[in-house]
Amino acid sequence: MAAIQLQATLPSLPSGWSAEKDFKAVSTLSQPTSRAIEAVGPHFLAHARRKRHKRTFSEDERIQAASSAKKTEDEDDGEISEPEDPMLLQREAKDWKTQDHYAVLGLSKKRWRASEEEIKKAHRKKVLKHHPDKKAASGQEENDQFFKCIQRATDILLDPIKRRQFDSVDENADKEPPSKKEVQKKPGNFYKLYGPVFESEGRFSKVQPVPQLGGPDASREQVEEFYNFWYNFDSWRSFEYLDEDVPDDNEGRDQKRHQERKNLNARKKRKVEDNQRLRKLLDDTMAQDERIKKFRQEGNKEKNKKRLEKEAAEKAAKEEAQRKKEEEERVQKEKEASDKAAKEESKKAKEAAKNAAKKNKRVIRNAAKDGNYFADGEPSPQQIDQALNDTDALITKLEVDEIATMTNNLAGKKGADVKNVFVQENKRLVEAGKAKEGKTLNCTHLPRNCASCNTNSIGSMVIDNEIRGRLALITGASGGIGAACARDLFTAGASLALTYGTNKAALDTLLDELKPQAGDRKITGHQCDVAREEDLNRLFDEIKQAHGQHPDILVVNAGYGKRTSNILDISLDEWDYTINVNLRSSFILTKLAIPHMQSNNWGRVIYISSIAAGGTSINGCHYSASKAGLQGLSKNLANKLGKEGITFNDVAPAMITDTGMIPSEENLKGTPGDVGNIPVGRSGKPEECAGVVTMLCRTGYMTGQSLLLSGGLK
């Protein structure tokens, strides 16, 4: 064995170094050991090979390179070893754009699935076979056209952007969808034939992995996920590869821009066509998918089951409701008989109390005379009128029990004592917040605006249009005009009592909206079927209990209307119910509200009528008659009770949308109330109707009027 001798020079010690002070031995060196060294590795093998075959370095490298090339050429890599088409070998390099790059490299089976390593390996193999030098060495024709095709294919497929562009238009990678006949030929063909189609299409997805079609046992969730994914497919597919060449010479700039625009439009068109093709593929697939039909049948079966269960439950509930209704009717009849007797007794008591109140009011009015009309010396006619008017104003501020108390206080009083009773009573009302103090200490009258206090009288005539502090009852306030009136009167400072028929949830929403802003004002909600007299009586009892008084303002909004134009189609029951809800209930409500308004010498009653009262209506004659009756009721009572401080008016709206009768303008199309027939060119809103109602509440000089709110429609 050859011996190897190694020579090395140790580095010199630094200057000033000495063993005595700079070196300290920590141990001793071990004895040397002799070992045999054996040459190994590729370099030794190359050396041995050269010695054995007596080759020079260059000869050995050349021979080894040729051997490696032969070995690479003879390797069989399965799908990248394909027979070469003679027509492919004859391709011209200039036609590279129309060539199949995968076929040129022998990757036509792999195509878009080929990895970068496989492309490099295929390129190396093709180059070794078709390199011009290789052909020259083997005596073949030196034609480098196919070699250039190989180079171009490799350049494109190894560039990610260019490869995507080519893959986008690679028709050889597409899988044609099967025909309906092919799918029906054999069970299971649907999944077998359509699966590869969607696998091929999935190569264009930006989102990976792509849900697969699955099989007949796929769950509903898997099937829905598949179709949802593909109906919302996000594709990276583009068509730049098919662009026509753009001239790059400076002289053709206009032509260049024209060609670029042309290419861009062509890409967009191909993209749209591709999306339409994919959508049709999905529609065809879904139409033939037996799983979809199965899921629909299962859904219908479940739906039918629930329907039958619901019908059975409804039948049981109906029977139970009928039983309860009969029991309630029996109890109700007994209660009505009892209530009727109690009502007769209550009516007699109320009549007695009313007569007593009238008598006491007369006593108070006569007391002004006994007090010499609060004047020193002989009163003038003006002082007498002032004293009598202010006495009436004072009476309107007193409750029935307070009137009785004042009557007792006036018993036996004359002259200045009478005036003193009036002064003390006015002072009590001011302290209680029921009246405002005048400009001077001697002023004892109750106007909200005192014009003059220079006389010794109680004051002058009062004009009271203040809404703040009043209680407003609004029927049918769960939506539409009623809810709008509630918001408007609440903004004006009124307390509210609101009714609903069946839609409690809507009224609760309105109450939740208003109550946080109410402060010390009360807002209450009440269920009431206005067609039932007992409900209306109960309503006024509830209001008295909740608010301590009956309403100062009554807005009768709850109503009923059915579009039955032909009188022959209107039954007697329908007529009675319409009149009952729209007119009879308004009469009862007014009758219940009047006594409190009379006692205060102040009240506002507004009926929500309709343009139909004049005969113009998209509803029938029964509805028009009920609304015309409201206008007659309003005008009659305005004439009868005007001097008691109570006004009666009606608002006759037409074509008000966002209400129960007319939800939107669509409901008016083809009727006399069509928006095209309205002069202002639109329908009305509940808030506009509410504004008129509030105006009437604030205008005590307007009574007996019917205000048409119709946008100019007659």
Side-chain angles (χ1 to χ4, degrees), residues 77-314:
D77 290 317
E79 292 183 341
I80 63 172
S81 293
E82 299 175 354
E84 293 177 335
D85 185 356
M87 296 298 295
L88 190 66
L89 298 176
Q90 297 176 13
R91 289 195 64 86
E92 294 290 332
K94 65 181 181 179
D95 298 329
W96 62 271
K97 202 162 189 177
T98 59
Q99 73 181 19
D100 183 347
H101 301 306
Y102 289 111
V104 168
L105 295 180
L107 295 171
S108 57
K109 294 180 181 179
K110 286 275 187 178
R111 295 199 171 274
W112 54 274
R113 299 183 188 86
S115 66
E116 184 178 339
E117 184 60 32
E118 288 173 329
I119 293 172
K120 290 179 180 179
K121 187 181 289 185
H123 168 254
R124 185 164 57 249
K125 183 173 181 180
K126 289 291 183 180
V127 165
L128 290 173
K129 183 175 181 181
H130 295 284
H131 196 283
D133 293 345
K134 176 83 172 181
K135 289 184 176 180
S138 60
Q140 299 180 32
E141 181 183 354
E142 294 186 31
N143 184 354
D144 62 350
Q145 290 298 309
F146 188 66
F147 178 75
K148 290 179 180 179
C149 292
I150 294 170
Q151 293 298 99
R152 176 67 75 171
T154 305
D155 291 343
I156 290 175
L157 297 182
L158 287 180
D159 185 319
I161 296 177
K162 292 180 180 179
R163 184 179 181 184
R164 273 200 168 191
Q165 292 175 355
F166 175 72
D167 286 343
S168 295
V169 299
D170 185 7
E171 296 179 353
N172 294 315
D174 294 337
K175 295 288 184 181
E176 285 295 324
S179 66
K180 190 174 182 179
K181 186 175 181 180
E182 290 173 332
V183 171
Q184 295 174 345
K185 187 178 294 184
K186 184 179 179 182
N189 268 9
F190 173 79
Y191 309 103
K192 182 179 179 181
L193 298 177
Y194 270 108
V197 174
F198 282 100
E199 182 184 0
S200 173
E201 295 291 340
R203 71 187 191 271
F204 301 121
S205 176
K206 292 181 181 179
V207 179
Q208 296 289 344
V210 176
Q212 297 302 309
L213 179 63
D217 298 328
S219 66
R220 187 188 195 100
E221 290 74 17
Q222 291 173 326
V223 175
E224 289 178 350
E225 179 190 7
F226 173 80
Y227 284 107
N228 286 339
F229 177 88
W230 282 99
Y231 273 111
N232 296 282
F233 189 66
D234 190 6
S235 172
W236 53 257
R237 190 174 191 180
S238 62
F239 297 91
E240 293 94 336
Y241 193 83
L242 299 178
D243 287 353
E244 295 185 22
D245 291 337
V246 178
D248 54 359
D249 57 304
N250 293 331
E251 296 180 358
R253 285 183 297 178
D254 292 339
Q255 176 64 21
K256 180 179 180 181
R257 283 194 292 268
H258 171 72
Q259 189 59 53
E260 287 175 347
R261 286 195 299 270
K262 191 175 178 181
N263 288 337
L264 182 61
N265 291 334
R267 286 182 219 160
K268 290 180 179 178
K269 182 179 178 182
R270 291 187 183 104
K271 187 70 175 179
V272 170
E273 291 173 348
D274 186 63
N275 290 337
Q276 292 173 346
R277 177 194 63 81
L278 184 59
R279 183 61 182 249
K280 184 178 183 303
L281 170 64
L282 283 169
D283 292 342
D284 293 344
T285 307
M286 199 170 184
Q288 299 179 66
D289 196 338
E290 293 294 331
R291 298 171 301 181
I292 301 294
K293 300 176 184 177
K294 182 182 73 172
F295 295 149
R296 285 176 181 165
Q297 291 172 354
E298 291 174 352
N300 291 335
K301 185 177 179 182
E302 184 65 23
K303 189 185 295 182
N304 290 335
K305 180 182 177 183
K306 289 182 179 179
R307 179 178 59 80
L308 293 174
E309 292 175 351
K310 183 178 178 182
E311 289 176 354
E314 287 177 350

Side-chain angles (χ1 to χ4, degrees), residues 119 135 154 193 233 375 399 432 442-443 453 485 533 572 632 650 699:
I119 293 172
K135 289 184 176 180
T154 305
L193 298 177
F233 189 66
E399 298 293 339
N442 293 328
C443 180
C453 293
C485 290
E533 182 181 0
L572 186 57
D650 75 90
T699 311

Side-chain angles (χ1 to χ4, degrees), residues 39 238 402 674:
S238 62
E402 293 173 332
D674 194 303

Side-chain angles (χ1 to χ4, degrees), residues 477-479 498-512 515 525-528:
S478 59
L498 310 176
T499 77
Y500 69 95
T502 57
N503 196 350
K504 183 177 185 299
L507 187 70
D508 287 344
T509 300
L510 178 61
L511 293 176
D512 291 341
K515 280 185 176 180
H526 308 269
Q527 193 283 327
C528 182

Side-chain angles (χ1 to χ4, degrees), residues 420-689:
N420 186 51
V421 172
F422 275 81
V423 171
Q424 293 301 321
E425 189 62 27
N426 181 69
K427 183 178 179 182
R428 185 185 66 78
L429 291 174
V430 170
E431 291 174 350
K434 293 185 178 181
K436 294 181 180 180
E437 193 169 5
K439 291 185 177 180
T440 68
L441 295 175
N442 293 328
C443 180
T444 61
H445 63 283
L446 307 175
R448 296 181 184 271
N449 296 296
C450 179
S452 173
C453 293
N454 296 328
T455 67
N456 207 20
S457 68
I458 295 179
S460 59
M461 185 66 180
V462 178
I463 299 175
D464 189 355
N465 287 319
E466 182 59 61
I467 299 177
R468 188 172 303 278
R470 307 287 188 188
L471 172 60
L473 167 59
I474 305 171
T475 64
S478 59
I481 294 173
C485 290
R487 293 187 180 95
D488 216 47
L489 288 174
F490 175 78
T491 302
S495 297
L496 301 176
L498 310 176
T499 77
Y500 69 95
T502 57
N503 196 350
K504 183 177 185 299
L507 187 70
D508 287 344
T509 300
L510 178 61
L511 293 176
D512 291 341
E513 174 190 336
L514 298 180
K515 280 185 176 180
Q517 312 166 42
D520 59 353
R521 288 182 288 164
K522 282 190 177 180
I523 305 176
T524 57
H526 308 269
Q527 193 283 327
C528 182
D529 181 357
V530 296
R532 295 167 58 91
E533 182 181 0
E534 54 271 23
D535 273 24
L536 298 175
N537 288 320
R538 173 181 54 77
L539 169 65
F540 269 71
D541 291 340
E542 290 179 359
I543 292 174
K544 177 71 173 179
Q545 184 176 1
H547 294 269
Q549 67 168 82
H550 283 158
D552 304 299
I553 299 169
L554 173 62
V555 180
V556 182
N557 172 67
Y560 169 78
K562 189 173 182 181
R563 293 188 184 179
T564 309
S565 299
N566 192 336
I567 188 174
L568 300 179
D569 297 329
I570 302 172
S571 66
L572 186 57
D573 288 341
E574 178 70 13
W575 170 276
D576 289 342
Y577 185 74
T578 303
I579 297 298
N580 193 9
V581 173
N582 292 348
L583 184 57
R584 181 174 180 270
S585 65
S586 302
F587 167 75
I588 296 172
L589 285 166
T590 306
K591 193 174 179 180
L592 291 170
I594 288 298
H596 172 75
M597 296 180 181
Q598 285 178 319
S599 67
N600 287 333
N601 204 38
W602 196 99
R604 301 287 186 265
V605 179
I606 298 100
Y607 304 109
I608 304 302
S609 175
S610 170
I611 192 176
T616 302
S617 175
I618 58 177
N619 296 316
C621 62
H622 55 327
Y623 183 77
S624 294
S626 67
K627 293 301 183 178
L630 276 181
Q631 294 185 352
L633 178 66
S634 172
K635 294 180 186 300
N636 180 275
L637 292 176
N639 186 51
K640 301 281 187 184
L641 299 174
K643 292 183 179 180
E644 297 193 46
I646 309 172
T647 66
F648 293 82
N649 297 283
D650 75 90
V651 180
M655 312 313 154
I656 306 297
T657 53
D658 300 336
T659 63
M661 290 188 65
I662 308 177
S664 68
E665 292 182 352
E666 289 293 323
N667 300 83
L668 298 174
K669 287 186 176 180
T671 72
D674 194 303
V675 174
N677 299 329
I678 301 175
V680 298
R682 66 173 178 86
S683 59
K685 294 297 179 184
E687 292 75 17
E688 294 174 301
C689 196

